[in-house]
Amino acid sequence: MTIHLPQGPYEPRATPLDLAPGGAALASRTVFSAAHVVADPYADVSPDAPAVVDWDSTLAFRRHLWSHGLGVAEAMDTAQRGMGLDWAGAAELIRRSSAEAKAVGGRIACGVGTDQLTGPATLPEVRAAYEEQLAVVEESGAQAILMASRALAAAASGPEDYLETYAHLLRQATEPVVLHWLGPMFDPALEGYWGSSDLDAATDTFLKVIAEHPDKIDGIKMSLLDAEREIDVRRRLPGGVRCYTGDDFNYPELIAGDDRGFSHALLGIFDPLGPLAAHAVRVLDTGDVDGCRALLDPTVELSRHLFSAPTRYYKTGVVFLAWLAGHQEHFTMVGGLQSARSLPHLAKAYELADRLGLFPDPELAESRMRALLSVHGGAR
């Protein structure tokens, strides 16, 4: 039955892809999905109040990702760190998700930042904030991801401050960490990270941190939406240090790789694409690069749409698709972020996801899309 979307009439897909949980462990690539949080829709809170999380639904979504063989990257940008989820909420999320990972045998890595700082901070205060969060993650038994820090970006006067701060933190870490470079398209406050707005100079500082501490770094996550720069950095990494792509525009080619290497993955787009992404990597595990690309390449249009400027609001589309797919019973986000994207944007996301067969129950997704249209006065 035709649904009339803002972009025109659309005939929904009748059957989804067959992407059941289970299957062999992913072998050729290590793949994490950054996971969103589910808000409590009945919480009486203002947009700037601490988040009230629906823990049952939030943890159920992580079990969904683990059931398909993916790792979970927890308390990251996708979980609205700094955009609705404060450090107190993130710490509870880390503890709860890590305990759940132990219970089901799932892989988990958690974000370590400085978002408990509420105003201008000195470099010693930045280091102390990082150390506090690192302790929480390590005590939970999860792998640590050292995230980029707004406070460090504001306090640092040049590359040396980054080199000293990260050297201090890496000495503190008990296990190898993932080092995250998040670009300003995801967070404008991170402009000039690594001590320079010149990306070549910033890259040199980033690589110097890695070269001086290769035994403390499991890998790096590049989130610059710049495939050529990621490939260049990937080729310059010390042996044993992995590159996890965070490029939600170019992930198929980066994961497939070339004759000089490949990227693993730690991606926000793998929140809605989780089962399909896991299937694609299992195809890649057989040596079938073309088969993997045939599965992943068609998803790029959806990903580029969700991550279109202003990119930091991609979380709205991710949660919207989780609602349509039946992973949660509502489209309410912490901080009221469900209002961050327009109805035409969301309708296009529905169409692109439906064309890919991502919705386990296409009729449910269609019904919920019609309900949203009705709320906006556009149902037909």
Side-chain angles (χ1 to χ4, degrees):
M1 183 177 176
T2 301
I3 181 171
H4 292 271
L5 303 173
Q7 63 268 30
Y10 173 66
E11 194 72 30
R13 179 171 174 150
T15 57
L17 291 177
D18 183 11
L19 298 170
L26 307 187
S28 63
R29 304 291 187 271
T30 299
V31 182
F32 290 95
S33 166
H36 73 278
V37 294
V38 183
D40 180 348
Y42 295 112
D44 185 11
V45 294
S46 61
D48 58 352
V52 179
V53 176
D54 176 346
W55 292 111
D56 289 342
S57 297
T58 294
L59 296 176
F61 188 78
R62 281 133 182 84
R63 290 193 296 272
H64 154 71
L65 294 172
W66 285 317
S67 76
H68 287 275
L70 300 169
V72 168
E74 187 57 276
M76 299 285 291
D77 188 51
T78 304
Q80 296 182 240
R81 288 288 291 271
M83 291 185 70
L85 188 72
D86 62 11
W87 166 236
E92 185 170 3
L93 179 62
I94 288 165
R95 294 186 180 103
R96 286 176 180 257
S97 292
S98 297
E100 196 73 16
K102 291 177 186 176
V104 303
R107 183 165 184 169
I108 188 168
C110 300
V112 171
T114 63
D115 46 328
Q116 69 269 55
L117 299 172
T118 58
T122 64
L123 288 172
E125 288 170 336
V126 170
R127 288 195 296 269
Y130 263 128
E131 288 174 339
E132 177 189 355
Q133 296 200 16
L134 179 61
V136 169
V137 170
E138 291 189 334
E139 289 166 5
S140 76
Q143 184 178 16
I145 303 170
L146 292 185
M147 300 192 300
S149 162
R150 294 174 180 173
L152 179 56
S157 59
E160 287 302 320
D161 288 337
Y162 287 89
L163 292 170
E164 292 175 6
T165 298
Y166 279 93
H168 177 85
L169 294 170
L170 290 167
R171 286 193 296 269
Q172 299 293 315
T174 59
E175 299 292 339
V177 307
V178 175
L179 207 58
H180 188 193
W181 185 356
L182 189 70
M185 67 289 295
F186 289 96
D187 187 342
L190 299 177
E191 178 66 41
Y193 211 75
W194 305 110
S196 178
S197 293
D198 180 317
L199 284 178
D200 290 337
T203 297
D204 288 343
T205 302
F206 183 54
L207 285 167
K208 187 173 182 181
V209 171
I210 299 162
E212 292 179 353
H213 309 277
D215 59 322
K216 286 299 189 80
I217 300 173
D218 163 67
I220 62 162
K221 170 173 157 56
M222 298 282 288
S223 296
L224 300 180
L225 305 183
D226 183 340
E228 290 185 6
R229 185 167 298 277
E230 178 174 319
I231 292 170
D232 173 67
V233 170
R234 187 173 77 193
R235 291 174 176 172
R236 296 163 65 186
L237 292 175
V241 176
R242 290 185 270 199
C243 180
Y244 293 93
T245 187
D247 188 333
D248 300 279
F249 283 5
N250 303 292
Y251 52 92
E253 65 193 75
L254 292 165
I255 293 170
D258 54 31
D259 58 357
R260 296 178 60 184
F262 57 83
S263 294
H264 300 271
L266 198 166
L267 288 161
I269 190 56
F270 282 3
D271 180 301
L273 292 183
L276 178 56
H279 178 53
V281 173
R282 289 190 179 94
V283 170
L284 186 60
D285 289 345
T286 69
D288 186 358
V289 176
D290 290 341
C292 174
R293 292 293 300 268
L295 288 164
L296 288 183
D297 284 357
T299 69
V300 171
E301 184 180 4
L302 171 63
S303 189
R304 286 178 175 257
H305 177 71
L306 294 180
F307 285 78
S308 60
T311 301
R312 62 190 180 277
Y313 293 117
Y314 75 88
K315 298 97 166 169
T316 301
V318 165
V319 175
F320 172 66
L321 293 181
W323 172 56
L324 294 185
H327 294 299
Q328 55 194 77
E329 294 303 314
H330 59 86
F331 178 38
T332 301
M333 297 177 66
V334 299
L337 211 63
Q338 66 271 11
S339 65
R341 292 294 201 186
S342 68
L343 180 64
H345 178 92
L346 297 175
K348 186 64 176 179
Y350 160 73
E351 179 184 343
L352 292 172
D354 185 71
R355 289 188 188 279
L356 291 168
L358 295 183
F359 300 128
D361 184 342
E363 290 186 2
L364 175 66
E366 178 187 346
S367 173
R368 290 183 170 182
M369 187 68 237
R370 288 184 185 277
L372 186 67
L373 290 167
S374 179
V375 166
H376 286 266
R380 281 197 288 162

